[in-house]
Amino acid sequence: MALADAMSLVTSAIVEAASLVWMEVVMFGAAALIYVACVGLPQWGPKKTIKKKLSGPYEDTPSQAAQEVYRQWQQVKTGKGEIPGSAGSGLYAAVNAMRQLRKTTKEVESELRSALGSANAKTLLSEVEALPTALLRDDAV
């Protein structure tokens, strides 16, 4: 009799465990179906790489316009020229040209510092004041 009760108890425990595992498997399957319905099936196999050409201020070859603006900037630094455009736009064009010519941030900073240390620093101060506004306006930062 004790053996029959033990066997009944073990059978009951196995049935309970199976029903618990069955419910977990059903919940996992439902979650997988909802995932596939919302996101789609994952792509298996070799990944396709797409080479995109750089655009914007980091093009492969600097344009003639960028080189010309940089030449004008060099003349402004030496005091032989004036920054063209409205307040902030000339210095913004110079910074943008330096970025197109692949100058690092430190190089651009040293260019600006050397220009501010030159004789025409007073003219450049108003341009420097307007530069952050121009950079933020065009999301160039």
Side-chain angles (χ1 to χ4, degrees):
M1 179 96 172
L3 186 60
D5 284 339
M7 217 37 175
S8 171
L9 195 59
V10 167
T11 305
S12 172
I14 290 174
V15 168
E16 284 293 320
S19 68
L20 179 67
V21 170
W22 175 81
M23 187 57 76
E24 291 295 322
V25 169
V26 168
M27 293 301 282
F28 177 77
L33 287 175
I34 291 172
Y35 175 81
V36 168
C38 292
V39 176
L41 290 173
Q43 299 296 323
W44 303 103
K47 296 189 179 194
K48 298 176 184 175
T49 58
I50 299 173
K51 291 185 178 180
K52 294 182 180 178
K53 185 178 181 200
L54 295 174
S55 63
Y58 302 108
E59 294 176 352
D60 287 339
T61 57
S63 67
Q64 286 295 109
Q67 291 174 350
E68 182 60 33
V69 169
Y70 186 68
R71 280 188 209 106
Q72 288 176 351
W73 169 249
Q74 293 297 326
Q75 291 176 355
V76 168
K77 266 181 39 178
T78 58
K80 296 178 184 171
E82 291 186 16
I83 296 179
S86 62
S89 67
L91 192 56
Y92 172 72
V95 169
N96 203 17
M98 286 185 248
R99 292 172 73 197
Q100 286 180 358
L101 295 170
R102 297 188 182 265
K103 301 270 186 197
T104 64
T105 306
K106 289 196 181 275
E107 291 172 336
V108 172
E109 178 188 356
S110 68
E111 288 273 346
L112 293 175
R113 286 184 187 271
S114 67
L116 286 174
S118 66
N120 60 346
K122 291 183 180 178
T123 355
L124 291 174
L125 283 177
S126 62
E127 291 282 329
V128 171
E129 278 183 60
L131 181 62
T133 307
L135 290 172
L136 288 174
R137 180 186 62 230
D138 293 338
D139 287 333
V141 182

